């Protein structure tokens, strides 16, 4: 993984931490959760590796545990880990739990293991076998397990309702499921997740959606990310928003639920499939296809009969639309390639014409004299421009209120003038070379003229600045612990360091602009500024602010 990708994933992770805070659930929009969901899908191998490592540790612990009483909780933990991951393996550990519980002669363990067995049989679509077990143990269920018993029965009837082929049959199973849910409510601990789920389900069936949401949202905020009930709670919240016809909130909570399923590698899930169908209806075919395909892969891997059956009804619809969209995209790609080919041929023709035109230009050397005359006119215009700059400088002396603005403009115009002279010098060099005018080439290649003009420019700048701020050098040195470090050579008005801070006094603080003006590199300017600041009296960060105050009292 590249640094760029790592940074992107880190950024997404940080955003997700922020959007999951208690204060922001209602403010965060679905697209942000969808981004997190897509990232989680892309990191499937990471979560799968963590899951397999956890399972291997439990198996290793089981291999080294010989006491039957101690083996039961490990087998039960393995069942829980496999329950929504691989149903066949969960069935194996559920059966082994029953065997160990019987050997332990622990009635509570026996009942609990049989409930687990019935639950996983329901996941595998073996509802009759599940109900046979539940009906057999019903008379002997201990009080402490009655809530879990009725809740398991409610889940089995819910699965049967999902398979129902008629409305009458579906209603019958839903009624039986609701009856067992209500029995579970009276027997479950009010602190258990199953109790919250049962109450929320009751509110949902009674169309008390606001009450259900008010119950579930605070509870969701307290759930750890590692809790398998996190996805179930989020899904129930989405169901209530669905009933309220709030599609944005429904999608958001489906995404939250799907993220939790993926992070905990729960292959027996529903949220990703439901979200896929919603996105399909909204026209996001690519996401819908990716999500429904992943849901089917998970259901097949887990061997969840009900989920596979439900997805199989939706997949052909989404797949057909996805294939149609791909065909359309391919057709558009062909049109694009044909258009690009035609454009390439056109550009080739243009290049041929340009080549011929360049040959004609080679024969037009007489135009060089005309170009030279034009350059002479331009030079005269530049001299007039320089005169105007001098006039502007004289006007600066007439008003102290605007002198800083005028000197800034004068300095900028002079710098532009030198830059333009360099540009025209380059153009002269090219034209002279084309015209084989050797003397002109020799003159153009020399930088003596530019250096002279630059030296004269800095000299004029220094003199003008000192006229405007006659106490600048003295006041500047007074700001330093080592004033003797500022050395002005004979014949100079300002040295490079003073000239740099003179520009800052005029309000030009950008290092890039200063570097361009003084013809130094940006790093050199940075070093100058840092070296002088290190010698400043008082706080280093206030030095340039004090420089801006030089000359204020003498204005």
């Amino acid at each position: 993984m590249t640094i760029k990708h790592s940074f992107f994933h880190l950024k997404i992770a940080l955003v997700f931490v922020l959007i999951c805070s208690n204060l922001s659930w209602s403010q965060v929009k679905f697209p942000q959760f969808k981004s997190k969901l897509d990232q989680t899908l892309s990191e499937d191998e990471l979560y799968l590796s963590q899951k397999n490592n956890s399972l291997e540790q439990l198996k290793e612990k089981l291999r080294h545990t010989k006491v039957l009483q101690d083996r039961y909780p490990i087998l039960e933990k393995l069942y829980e880990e496999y329950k929504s991951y691989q149903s066949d393996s969960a069935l194996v550990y559920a059966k082994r739990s029953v065997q160990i519980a019987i050997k332990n002669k622990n009635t509570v363990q026996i009942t609990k293991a049989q409930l687990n067995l019935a639950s996983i049989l329901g996941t595998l679509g073996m509802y009759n076998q599940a109900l046979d077990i539940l009906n057999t143990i019903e008379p002997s269920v201990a009080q402490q397990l009655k809530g879990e018993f009725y809740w398991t029965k409610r889940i089995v009837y819910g699965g049967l309702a999902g398979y129902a082929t008629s409305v009458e049959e579906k209603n019958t199973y839903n009624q039986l499921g609701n009856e067992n849910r209500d029995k579970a409510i009276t027997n479950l601990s009010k602190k258990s997740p199953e109790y919250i789920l049962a109450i929320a389900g009751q509110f949902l069936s009674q169309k008390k959606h606001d009450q259900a949401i008010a119950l579930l949202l605070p509870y969701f905020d307290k759930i750890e990310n590692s809790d398998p009930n996190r996805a179930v709670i989020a899904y129930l919240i989405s169901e209530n928003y669905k009933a309220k016809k709030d599609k944005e909130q429904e999608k958001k909570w489906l995404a939250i639920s799907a993220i939790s399923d993926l992070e905990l590698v729960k292959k027996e899930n529903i949220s990703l499939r439901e979200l896929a169908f919603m996105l399909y209806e909204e026209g996001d075919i690519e996401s819908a296809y990716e999500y429904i395909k992943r849901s089917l892969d998970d259901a097949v891997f887990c061997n969840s009969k009900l989920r596979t059956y439900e997805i199989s009804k939706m997949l052909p619809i989404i797949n057909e639309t996805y294939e149609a969209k791909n065909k359309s995209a391919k057709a558009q790609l062909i049109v694009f390639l044909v258009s690009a080919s035609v454009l390439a041929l056109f550009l080739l023709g243009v290049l041929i014409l340009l080549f011929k035109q360049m040959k004609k230009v080679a024969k037009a050397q007489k135009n060089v004299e005309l170009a030279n005359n034009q350059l002479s006119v331009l030079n005269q215009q530049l001299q007039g421009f320089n005169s105007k700059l001098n006039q502007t400088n004289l006007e600066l002396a007439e008003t102290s209120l605007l002198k800083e603005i005028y000197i800034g403009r004068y300095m900028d115009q002079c710098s532009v003038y030198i830059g333009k002279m360099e540009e025209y010098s380059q153009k002269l060099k090219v034209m002279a070379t084309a015209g084989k005018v050797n003397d002109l080439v020799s003159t153009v290649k020399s930088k003596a003229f530019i250096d002279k003009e630059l030296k004269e420019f800095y000299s004029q700048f220094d003199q003008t600045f000192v006229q405007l701020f006659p106490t600048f050098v003295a006041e500047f040195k007074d700001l330093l612990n080592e004033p003797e470090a500022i050395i002005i050579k004979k014949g100079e008005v300002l040295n490079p360091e003073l000239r740099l801070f003179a520009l800052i006094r005029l309000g030009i603080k950008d290092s890039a602009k200063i570097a361009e003006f003084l013809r130094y590199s940006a790093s050199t300017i940075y070093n100058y500024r840092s070296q002088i600041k290190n010698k400043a009296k008082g706080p280093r960060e206030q030095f340039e602010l004090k420089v801006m105050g030089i000359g204020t009292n003498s204005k």
Side-chain angles (χ1 to χ4, degrees):
M1 184 178 292
T2 64
I3 294 175
K4 181 179 180 181
H5 288 164
S6 298
F7 176 76
F8 172 74
H9 288 158
L10 177 60
K11 182 178 178 181
I12 289 290
L14 290 174
V15 168
F16 190 63
V17 169
L18 291 175
I19 65 179
C20 289
S21 64
N22 293 350
L23 298 177
S24 60
W25 283 113
S26 60
Q27 301 170 2
V28 181
K29 304 300 182 183
F30 167 69
Q32 292 169 281
F33 284 105
K34 185 178 183 299
S35 296
K36 171 61 179 174
L37 174 58
D38 292 337
Q39 180 202 342
T40 307
L41 280 167
S42 70
E43 296 174 346
D44 178 60
E45 292 297 327
L46 171 64
Y47 296 115
L48 187 60
S49 175
Q50 292 173 350
K51 180 74 171 180
N52 288 330
N53 288 339
S54 176
L55 289 169
E56 190 55 40
Q57 289 174 8
L58 283 172
K59 291 176 184 178
E60 184 68 19
K61 185 177 180 181
L62 181 65
R63 282 193 288 268
H64 290 86
T65 302
K66 303 303 179 183
V67 180
L68 292 179
Q69 192 64 36
D70 294 337
R71 288 173 65 84
Y72 177 82
I74 302 174
L75 287 168
E76 188 174 39
K77 179 63 176 175
L78 278 165
Y79 162 78
E80 292 293 337
E81 288 291 325
Y82 273 113
K83 182 172 65 174
S84 297
Y85 177 54
Q86 272 186 318
S87 299
D88 293 336
S89 297
L91 178 62
V92 171
Y93 287 108
K95 289 180 177 179
R96 290 180 65 181
S97 296
V98 173
Q99 294 169 358
I100 293 296
I102 292 173
K103 289 180 180 179
N104 288 336
K105 298 180 180 180
N106 186 320
T107 56
V108 173
Q109 285 184 359
I110 293 171
T111 303
K112 182 68 173 67
Q114 289 175 319
L115 288 175
N116 290 340
L117 180 58
S119 179
I120 198 62
L121 286 171
T123 300
L124 289 165
M126 293 182 270
Y127 296 109
N128 290 332
Q129 294 93 320
L131 286 175
D132 286 344
I133 292 172
L134 292 172
N135 292 333
T136 300
I137 67 174
E138 184 168 8
S140 60
V141 174
Q143 180 62 39
Q144 66 194 82
L145 292 176
K146 279 190 175 182
E148 187 173 347
F149 169 82
Y150 290 119
W151 184 246
T152 303
K153 210 168 184 181
R154 174 248 175 268
I155 293 173
V156 173
Y157 280 122
L160 283 167
Y163 270 115
T165 56
S166 67
V167 175
E168 182 179 354
E169 185 182 13
K170 188 179 186 70
N171 290 338
T172 298
Y173 287 132
N174 280 331
Q175 179 63 32
L176 289 169
N178 291 340
E179 290 174 2
N180 280 280
R181 179 201 62 209
D182 295 341
K183 291 179 181 178
I185 290 173
T186 60
N187 289 280
L188 284 168
S189 167
K190 293 186 178 181
K191 295 182 180 179
S192 67
E194 289 80 9
Y195 178 80
I196 299 297
L197 292 171
I199 291 293
Q202 190 178 63
F203 283 152
L204 180 61
S205 64
Q206 295 171 354
K207 299 182 180 181
K208 298 178 180 180
H209 307 302
D210 291 332
Q211 288 175 255
I213 293 170
L215 170 69
L216 293 172
L217 284 178
Y219 187 78
F220 181 84
D221 290 335
K222 300 174 184 177
I223 300 177
E224 297 292 333
N225 290 346
S226 58
D227 192 329
N229 288 304
R230 182 179 178 84
V232 183
I233 296 294
Y235 176 74
L236 266 178
I237 294 173
S238 76
E239 283 290 282
N240 281 279
Y241 279 118
K242 179 180 181 179
K244 288 166 63 68
K245 302 187 185 304
D246 189 338
K247 288 192 174 183
E248 284 303 307
Q249 288 293 327
E250 181 189 357
K251 286 191 299 181
K252 182 177 84 171
W253 284 97
L254 282 174
I256 295 170
S257 177
I259 290 166
S260 180
D261 283 332
L262 291 167
E263 288 180 341
L264 298 179
V265 199
K266 291 170 65 178
K267 301 291 186 179
E268 205 275 326
N269 55 64
I270 186 173
S271 300
L272 193 62
R273 184 199 77 207
E274 293 289 331
L275 182 58
F277 195 70
M278 290 192 72
L279 294 178
Y280 167 77
E281 290 181 327
E282 293 179 356
D284 188 354
I285 307 302
E286 290 186 7
S287 294
Y289 178 77
E290 180 184 354
Y291 293 172
I292 198 70
K293 186 175 179 299
R294 174 56 187 270
S295 296
L296 180 61
D297 292 342
D298 284 351
V300 171
F301 181 88
C302 181
N303 196 19
S304 174
K305 304 297 183 183
L306 177 60
R307 301 302 175 224
T308 305
Y309 169 72
E310 291 171 335
I311 294 168
S312 66
K313 294 189 294 184
M314 297 168 53
L315 183 60
I317 302 172
I318 296 176
N319 186 62
E320 183 180 349
T321 306
Y322 180 76
E323 292 297 330
K325 184 177 180 181
N326 277 347
K327 288 181 180 179
S328 175
K330 288 179 181 177
Q332 291 176 358
L333 179 60
I334 292 172
V335 172
F336 171 78
L337 290 174
V338 171
S339 301
S341 300
V342 173
L343 180 60
L345 290 173
F346 173 75
L347 291 175
L348 181 61
V350 171
L351 287 173
I352 293 172
L353 290 175
L354 286 174
F355 183 73
K356 291 181 179 180
Q357 189 66 25
M358 288 174 65
K359 287 185 175 180
K360 292 181 181 179
V361 170
K363 298 177 181 179
Q365 294 181 357
K366 291 183 180 180
N367 291 333
V368 173
E369 289 183 4
L370 178 61
N372 287 335
N373 292 335
Q374 291 175 343
L375 285 174
S376 298
V377 172
L378 288 173
N379 192 38
Q380 291 176 1
Q381 291 176 350
L382 286 173
Q383 290 177 356
F385 182 69
N386 192 34
S387 299
K388 289 182 180 179
L389 287 177
N390 291 333
Q391 181 63 32
T392 301
N393 191 36
L394 292 175
E395 292 174 356
L396 287 173
E398 296 176 2
T399 169
S400 60
L401 179 62
L402 300 177
K403 64 183 179 181
E404 291 182 16
I405 298 174
Y406 284 175
I407 192 63
R409 290 180 180 175
Y410 165 77
M411 174 193 63
D412 185 62
Q413 289 169 346
C414 285
S415 180
V416 171
Y417 167 71
I418 292 172
K420 286 185 176 181
M421 291 299 291
E422 290 177 342
E423 182 181 352
Y424 283 122
S425 175
Q426 182 65 21
K427 289 182 179 180
L428 284 171
K429 188 190 304 179
V430 173
M431 293 181 180
T433 301
K436 298 181 180 180
V437 185
N438 296 331
D439 292 341
L440 183 57
V441 171
S442 176
T443 302
V444 168
K445 287 185 176 179
S446 173
K447 291 188 177 181
F449 177 74
I450 294 174
D451 292 340
K452 179 182 176 183
E453 288 295 322
L454 189 60
K455 182 177 180 180
E456 176 62 22
F457 172 74
Y458 286 147
S459 176
Q460 290 182 10
F461 169 78
D462 294 348
Q463 293 173 14
T464 304
F465 181 82
V466 172
Q467 287 176 1
L468 292 172
F469 299 95
T471 63
F472 179 79
V473 175
E475 289 190 53
F476 186 84
K477 288 184 176 182
D478 193 49
L479 295 175
L480 303 176
N481 285 319
E482 303 175 24
E484 67 278 1
I486 303 300
I487 301 173
I488 302 175
K489 296 179 181 178
K490 184 176 181 181
E492 289 184 343
V493 178
L494 299 175
N495 64 8
E497 291 93 336
L498 287 171
R499 195 173 294 129
L500 186 156
F501 282 93
L503 291 172
I504 292 174
R505 176 60 185 88
L506 293 174
I508 303 173
K509 298 182 179 180
D510 183 56
S511 291
K513 288 186 177 181
I514 295 173
E516 181 181 356
F517 178 78
L518 296 179
R519 296 302 190 272
Y520 290 144
S521 67
S523 61
T524 300
I525 297 301
Y526 176 81
N527 290 335
Y528 276 163
R529 292 174 84 162
S530 297
Q531 289 171 5
I532 294 299
K533 286 181 181 179
N534 289 336
K535 300 172 184 177
K537 294 178 181 178
R540 183 176 184 273
E541 59 274 8
Q542 295 182 7
F543 180 73
E544 291 189 3
L545 185 63
K546 292 180 180 179
V547 170
M548 293 296 293
I550 291 177
T552 302
N553 295 331
S554 61
K555 282 186 179 181

